[in-house]
Amino acid sequence: MPEPSSAQDPAESVGNAGAGGTMDFAAEQAGSLTAPPPGEHLVPEGGTTTGKPRSLWSDAWHDLRRNPVFVVSALVIVFLVLISIWPKLIASGNPLACDINKSQDGPAPGHPFGFDLQGCDVYTRTVYGARASVTVGVCATAGAAILGSVLGGLAGFFGGWWDAVLSRISDVFFGIPIVLGGLVFLSVVTNTTVWPVIGFIVLLGWPQIARIARGAVMTAKQHDYVQAARALGAGNTRILLRHIAPNAVAPVIVVATIALGTYIALEATLSFLGVGLKPPTVSWGIDISTASTEIRDAPHMLLWPAGALSVTVLAFIMLGDAVRDALDPKLR
Amino acid sequence: MTTDRRGAREPILQVKGLVKHFPLTRGVLFRKQVGAVRAVDGVDFDLYPGETLGVVGESGCGKSTVARVLMNLEPPTSGRVLYKGEDITRLSGPALKAVRRNIQMVFQDPYTSLNPRMTVGDIVGEPFDIHPEVAPRGDRRRRVRELLDVVGLNPEYVNRYPHQFSGGQRQRIGIARGLALNPEIIICDEPVSALDVSVQAQVVNLMERLQREFGLAYVFIAHDLSIVRHICDRVAVMYLGRIVETGGDAQIYEHPTHPYTQALLSAVPVPDPDARGGRDRILLTGDVPSPAAVPSGCRFRTRCWKAEPRCEERMPELAVPRAFRDSGTPAEHPSACHFAQERVRVLPGEEPVN
């Protein structure tokens, strides 16, 4: 990494005291401060390596690989994805094989996390619950982030009618209470998979991201470097992708990673109300909902799925944070 | 200097009757225009190859709007901008892109004119990505390094980011980007006003050297009169969206005939304690009128000590005043005043001219 301090330009400290704003500025300055001829640099050599040219993305990746926060959170996420796809990797039991006699029992040999209200093994259910919860969290966040940042970004960039119409539409969605909307929307759906829930969360989640993206794009758009690119003849696509997007993505990343946790919790709420995921499906949300009423008698029932949810949300927030920092050259 | 550069050559850029009004609207659903900010209200000038035209005036007089219209970043309300005889304000698509190669811009604030998330190599190389015909792909890295070298930066720094540079160095990066396409004209919108005084001289001298090397024509917009005099061959003084006086640098600085120019020049600080009190400063009263409510007749009359009823009735045209026509004196240059009078500037360190 080049050390920024060596970028100081020694010649720029040359003073010309009192010359500011004088009429004989020309006569005084012309002789003493002519620019150096080409080839003779103001900056000392050294401090940088002559490698291949780098870009923001290659620098960011180079940075991320050395960031322990990124490595740890990425490993946690990879692990979560693996057990979502193949829960049998670490859990041999059946999450639906329950023995009501063991209701709310504590840890026992072979059942390290104890048993829930129905006498099912909490460990197995926590492992199997990852699939539904991670799918809902990741897909809903990705959907809302993509839809929201594209629509909001375009509204902020082009303005005018498109912006006015989009802002009013997002106001309408903001006005729908999430739980009430969920009861109405999801009660008519008979499909028992996670997709209607994801669709509903995306539908109500995108306006939040769109507002953030719209504001970030409007801020980035005002900078002179956008005008400079336009003056060079750059088209809208290049300006959006090369100049606006990298400078507007940070707040969207932050809001989206925080929203991920909210969306998993929202799935839990909807499941609790009976309109989210239906019981044969195992999810952290369903388990947290049922356990929350028994927290005094059997805290372990709540602890494990809630802990798994917290670790997942934390991993995504840390990942988002690391990516955001890596995309800001000033923080390197 | 003025005449030999202009000679019999054709102007490279002609601005004719340039007007830019920004509408003031009222109402949310049904927008109704209730007025207009007359940022630029009838500006004409010519720019000749290889010369520097200074545009001076106080904040809000429309200097930067002129620059943005010249760069085709804003469409003019009316008027024409002719580049080699072709009206560039009506161009679009590939034709406009081709013209952009020849007219480039250096921005005022080096802290926002460079994308903080691009390396210096990407910033200076972007013109080649947009105009691939200028440099073949394999040649671009070498061209970028050459450009950095030309503006006095270490070519090794291509992988650095703008925040790692000082203000002066950033402005050099901005100049390198402007030079990349080998333009003939560079519009400089207050290129040094955001820099330290010590660095201003370096950047101005760099720009002069580049002008000699590449035969560039500059439109140099500034409010610092000393720098304008240092770099410019001709000067246009703007007030409230119009040019009030124009001429060679010696004509404007030493023989101003418009009262506004005289007041402006009398405000230039003189770094000589002995001269304090000895200078006859013209103190203008009042503020610049709002460009949304421009005075009738002469725009300067509300603050002018010479104003008479005639100034309210008739707008003075920008032309050589009758008193100096065919006089052969340096005061013979266009000045938009009914009562133009020469007022010899007393330069610091010089004896008053009697």
Side-chain angles (χ1 to χ4, degrees):
Chain A
M1 284 264 65
E3 65 279 38
S5 57
S6 76
Q8 263 304 330
D9 188 340
E12 284 185 0
S13 60
V14 175
N16 57 347
T22 61
M23 291 298 294
D24 51 354
F25 181 87
E28 275 182 25
Q29 297 308 317
S32 60
L33 267 177
T34 44
E40 190 182 305
H41 312 303
L42 292 174
V43 277
E45 295 281 343
T48 27
T49 49
T50 36
K52 61 177 172 40
R54 299 203 302 261
S55 69
L56 178 70
W57 304 103
S58 66
D59 275 346
W61 175 236
H62 180 268
D63 215 42
L64 281 176
R65 279 181 305 176
R66 282 157 186 75
N67 183 349
V69 173
F70 173 79
V71 173
V72 169
S73 55
L75 284 177
V76 170
I77 290 167
V78 167
F79 173 75
L80 282 166
V81 169
L82 283 179
I83 63 163
S84 303
I85 301 170
W86 299 291
K88 287 196 163 49
L89 283 176
I90 56 164
S92 52
N94 179 353
L96 300 175
C98 310
D99 181 356
I100 196 74
N101 289 328
K102 293 176 180 165
S103 176
Q104 300 190 21
D105 279 4
H111 304 282
F113 293 0
F115 297 88
D116 70 3
L117 198 62
Q118 304 292 326
C120 313
D121 179 32
V122 173
Y123 174 74
T124 314
R125 284 188 70 89
T126 304
V127 172
Y128 274 80
R131 177 180 292 178
S133 297
V134 170
T135 310
V136 168
V138 171
C139 293
T141 308
I146 291 170
L147 191 67
S149 49
V150 168
L151 291 180
L154 292 177
F157 186 71
F158 290 106
W161 272 107
W162 170 240
D163 183 27
V165 169
L166 195 102
S167 298
R168 294 298 84 75
I169 292 176
S170 72
D171 284 349
V172 168
F173 281 99
F174 261 118
I176 300 175
I178 286 192
V179 172
L180 190 63
L183 283 171
V184 173
F185 180 82
L186 291 172
S187 60
V188 300
V189 176
T190 49
N191 192 327
T192 53
T193 62
V194 294
W195 300 107
V197 177
I198 291 172
F200 171 72
I201 295 176
V202 169
L203 194 67
L204 289 199
W206 72 266
Q208 186 196 11
I209 308 261
R211 281 203 172 172
I212 302 285
R214 175 173 172 269
V217 166
M218 286 170 89
T219 311
K221 196 175 86 166
Q222 287 164 1
H223 286 293
D224 277 350
Y225 53 79
V226 174
Q227 298 292 341
R230 212 177 272 296
L232 284 169
N236 283 336
T237 318
R238 161 172 283 272
I239 288 175
L240 269 168
L241 295 180
R242 292 273 287 171
H243 295 279
I244 306 253
N247 287 293
V249 79
V252 173
I253 289 178
V254 173
V255 173
T257 50
I258 292 170
L260 186 119
T262 322
Y263 293 163
I264 294 180
L266 181 61
E267 175 263 309
T269 311
L270 294 171
S271 302
F272 179 71
L273 292 170
V275 291
L277 305 176
K278 307 292 187 301
T281 315
V282 184
S283 93
W284 294 336
I286 295 171
D287 287 2
I288 291 169
S289 305
T290 45
S292 58
T293 52
E294 313 292 332
I295 185 160
R296 289 202 193 170
D297 304 324
H300 66 270
M301 276 169 57
L302 182 68
L303 192 68
W304 295 106
L309 173 63
S310 305
V311 168
T312 308
V313 171
L314 191 66
F316 277 101
I317 287 181
M318 289 196 324
L319 183 87
D321 224 35
V323 170
R324 185 200 57 182
D325 287 356
L327 288 177
D328 189 350
K330 283 184 200 150
L331 295 177
R332 269 183 219 139
Chain B
M1 183 160 82
T2 308
T3 44
D4 62 359
R5 280 206 195 177
R6 291 172 74 178
R9 299 164 79 181
E10 287 290 304
I12 192 167
L13 193 72
Q14 287 173 287
V15 175
K16 294 190 172 174
L18 191 68
V19 175
K20 177 69 190 175
H21 291 180
F22 294 99
L24 293 169
T25 56
R26 188 174 288 167
V28 181
L29 205 55
F30 300 102
R31 297 243 164 125
K32 190 173 71 176
Q33 186 169 339
V34 294
V37 173
R38 296 157 78 156
V40 178
D41 210 13
V43 161
D44 306 79
F45 62 80
D46 292 345
L47 181 73
Y48 292 85
E51 77 161 351
T52 305
L53 173 71
V55 179
V56 293
E58 58 199 296
S59 303
C61 72
K63 308 182 299 265
S64 294
T65 309
V66 169
R68 294 168 58 82
V69 174
L70 291 184
M71 287 308 299
N72 233 319
L73 294 171
E74 302 260 11
T77 307
S78 69
R80 293 185 296 163
V81 178
L82 304 174
Y83 167 74
K84 293 185 174 168
E86 185 183 18
D87 188 357
I88 61 170
T89 59
R90 295 185 208 292
L91 296 179
S92 62
L96 177 61
K97 203 170 157 183
V99 168
R100 290 203 189 281
R101 272 183 57 183
N102 297 310
I103 309 178
Q104 274 303 309
M105 186 159 182
V106 172
F107 287 83
Q108 174 176 8
D109 185 354
Y111 292 87
T112 72
S113 65
L114 305 177
N115 186 338
R117 287 178 161 80
M118 277 167 84
T119 60
V120 171
D122 282 345
I123 291 170
V124 179
E126 189 174 29
F128 302 131
D129 292 340
I130 297 169
H131 299 270
E133 71 282 1
V134 176
R137 190 156 265 291
D139 200 29
R140 287 183 201 166
R141 269 181 65 195
R142 189 182 61 77
R143 293 282 289 268
V144 168
R145 296 169 74 91
E146 262 177 26
L147 283 164
L148 290 178
D149 191 73
V150 162
V151 298
L153 286 172
N154 188 338
E156 303 294 308
Y157 288 171
V158 285
N159 285 335
R160 294 197 170 188
Y161 288 89
H163 74 273
Q164 294 171 308
F165 294 89
S166 66
Q169 289 174 315
R170 288 184 198 211
Q171 201 56 299
R172 288 169 193 267
I173 296 167
I175 293 171
R177 173 178 59 191
L179 285 175
L181 299 172
N182 285 325
E184 291 168 278
I185 302 168
I186 295 190
I187 316 278
C188 311
D189 186 5
E190 310 212 13
V192 296
S193 56
L195 304 177
D196 284 353
V197 173
S198 59
V199 184
Q200 288 185 352
Q202 291 178 18
V203 172
V204 166
N205 288 323
L206 168 69
M207 294 181 70
E208 287 200 308
R209 178 169 64 79
L210 295 173
Q211 181 169 45
R212 285 193 301 273
E213 280 177 24
F214 301 104
L216 301 167
Y218 289 139
V219 174
F220 196 97
I221 292 166
H223 57 239
D224 187 325
L225 295 165
S226 316
I227 287 179
V228 169
R229 172 148 212 206
H230 177 54
I231 193 167
C232 295
D233 306 312
R234 286 190 304 128
V235 180
V237 181
M238 274 186 82
Y239 183 78
L240 260 187
R242 284 184 73 90
I243 292 178
V244 295
E245 187 167 6
T246 178
D249 61 340
Q251 289 174 332
I252 296 290
Y253 280 83
E254 282 155 38
H255 307 277
T257 61
H258 195 282
Y260 177 65
T261 314
Q262 291 163 358
L264 207 60
L265 287 169
S266 83
V268 172
V270 177
D272 178 8
D274 297 335
R276 188 189 298 163
R279 302 190 300 140
D280 46 347
R281 278 209 59 192
I282 303 168
L283 291 172
L284 291 178
T285 52
D287 289 322
V288 186
S290 161
V294 173
S296 65
C298 174
R299 277 146 201 264
F300 186 57
R301 70 176 167 81
T302 54
R303 301 170 76 194
C304 185
W305 63 96
K306 292 180 179 173
E308 287 184 24
R310 187 180 166 197
C311 302
E312 199 174 331
E313 290 151 15
R314 277 191 50 215
M315 178 155 75
E317 292 302 318
L318 181 63
V320 179
R322 189 169 297 143
F324 304 113
R325 212 167 288 164
D326 303 320
S327 67
T329 61
E332 188 190 345
H333 58 264
S335 172
C337 181
H338 293 308
F339 306 102
Q341 261 182 326
E342 189 175 348
R343 184 172 182 272
V344 176
R345 258 295 281 179
V346 181
L347 291 177
E350 282 177 27
E351 289 300 311
V353 183
N354 291 314

